[in-house]
Amino acid sequence: MKFFIKVMKALSDPNRVKMIKMLQHKPMCVCEIQTALGIAQSTASKHLKILEDADLVTSFKDGLWVNYGVADGSASPFAANMIGNLKHWLEDEREIKELNKILPNIDRHDIVNKN
């Protein structure tokens, strides 16, 4: 029951659900996620840590970048179930549609060059 609650709590925040929905489209780094959601990098990192602790996302290094992607669900049946359902849920929500429109235009190289 403890791990079930951890997964549900991880998905109780709208920004974390949005992160899962974005990562279903492509792996992303923290700077891309923060740009898409309009939140601070530290906030995005904290949310990602919660999602990773619940086995909903994974991280992997790509040179200097740390990318995040949706987990395969093998670590937890609860996480697997929610990941599977979230592929189909919320696609018609306005906020998710707006994120899906801007995702192709968000590129880490452009973000880094602006700063």
Side-chain angles (χ1 to χ4, degrees):
M1 188 164 167
K2 183 179 176 181
F3 202 77
F4 172 77
I5 299 300
K6 188 176 228 177
V7 170
M8 293 301 112
K9 282 185 177 182
L11 292 172
S12 68
D13 184 277
N15 279 326
R16 292 194 289 263
V17 173
K18 290 175 191 175
M19 288 177 177
I20 296 284
K21 295 301 289 178
M22 291 188 305
L23 294 173
Q24 288 174 340
H25 291 275
K26 66 178 185 175
M28 300 174 76
C29 66
V30 174
C31 68
E32 291 169 320
I33 292 168
Q34 82 163 104
T35 298
L37 295 177
I39 60 177
Q41 184 170 348
S42 60
T43 302
S45 294
K46 287 176 188 173
H47 283 311
L48 287 163
K49 176 72 172 135
I50 292 167
L51 291 170
E52 196 167 25
D53 287 347
D55 292 325
L56 293 163
V57 302
T58 59
S59 61
F60 52 97
K61 198 136 167 82
D62 178 20
L64 297 175
W65 305 101
V66 175
N67 292 315
Y68 291 86
V70 176
D72 64 9
S74 62
S76 162
F78 307 118
N81 191 299
M82 294 309 295
I83 291 166
N85 284 321
L86 280 169
K87 287 181 183 175
H88 310 288
W89 291 346
L90 305 173
E91 287 299 310
D92 292 332
E93 290 291 318
R94 178 188 54 79
E95 293 174 80
I96 301 302
K97 284 182 176 182
E98 288 174 9
L99 281 172
N100 288 340
K101 285 181 189 174
I102 65 169
L103 280 182
N105 301 319
I106 295 176
D107 182 273
R108 65 188 71 189
H109 300 98
D110 295 336
I111 295 166
V112 171
N113 290 333
K114 285 181 186 176
N115 296 331

